[in-house]
Amino acid sequence: MNNFLDPAILFFIFGVLAGFAKSNLEIPQPIARFLSLYLLMALGLKGGFALYESGVTTEVITSLGGAIFMAILVPSIGYLILSQKLKKLDAAAVAATYGSISAVTFITASQSLDELGIHYGGHMAAAMALMESPAIIFAIIVASKIRSQQQTHDVARPSLGKIFHESFTDGGQLLLLGSMIIGIISGDVAHEVLAPFSIDLFKGILSFFLLDMGLHAARNISELKNKPAICFYYAILGPVSHAIIALILAKLLGLELGNAILLMVLSSSASYIAVPAVLRQSLPEVSPALYMGMSLGLTFSLNIIFGIPLYTYLAQQWI
């Protein structure tokens, strides 16, 4: 219930309602981009400051290993399921989208944990960055194999080297990691100086950004019209299944509560920025409406409103 009283979540719901009402309310793209970069920078700094205090521990190494494992497992399972009902290239694109992560979902979850007083490691921001690329590589490899079997060479595609370079050097991802490194190096001094920027403003900026995301989510849901039923089922049930697998893994690895919740959130989220940008180049045969409608229209909305409190509750019961 508290999740529905959170102003950031209420702004997201307001944005969804405004989008469904076909309002002309809109956040200019340059401003939305700035908000996104601010959130990533602030998150990176917070993670760096936390790592400065804790250092590299067994929990840190174990959490990062679990994140990489989930980043490989989720797209693999997704492709096996989706390829039974969708075209193989479509299945590869959706699997890559769900194998990667949503930074905004993670940021919202970390803010929720802060308000609940649940401790989590700053290294989970690094885990988020590590989970971005494996799914992209998976999709490229699978698509290459499919095209080889189909002997289709008529689609102009950028080189694998270029795609790998873009997936590893995405601006948002670099800013996140760079900010984290700066936080680790500068430590307590920068923490005190930058607190008004990275902490005090965070909730207000997040609320404004979620308003924009709500508008986009409402407008992307319509893209799923006439899509196969499995798209709806997977967009709703897939994330919950991924979160439960992550919970089991977190229990086996002995992760602390906050880190377990964030691993669940990362595993259940789906990319709607970095991966789609790469897929447009590497899998031009697949309509972006398919994976954008699923990830942003359904999964993102459900995770923000219902998923985060559900995953928190499940972890509290089991960890």
Side-chain angles (χ1 to χ4, degrees), residues 13-71:
I13 295 173
F14 170 62
V16 171
L17 295 175
F20 280 139
K22 301 188 184 304
S23 167
N24 64 354
L25 175 62
E26 184 177 2
I27 309 300
Q29 185 56 37
I31 294 178
R33 178 62 175 166
F34 165 77
L35 297 177
S36 173
L37 292 175
Y38 164 83
L39 291 171
L40 289 170
M41 181 178 177
L43 179 66
L45 286 171
K46 289 168 68 176
F49 296 146
L51 277 173
Y52 173 81
E53 295 180 359
S54 68
V56 178
T57 63
T58 302
E59 175 86 9
V60 171
I61 297 172
T62 304
S63 299
L64 296 181
I68 294 173
F69 176 80
M70 290 302 299

Side-chain angles (χ1 to χ4, degrees), residues 15 30 32-33 43 80 125 151 171 202 297 316:
R33 178 62 175 166
L43 179 66
L80 289 175
Q151 295 184 338
F202 191 86
Q316 287 174 322

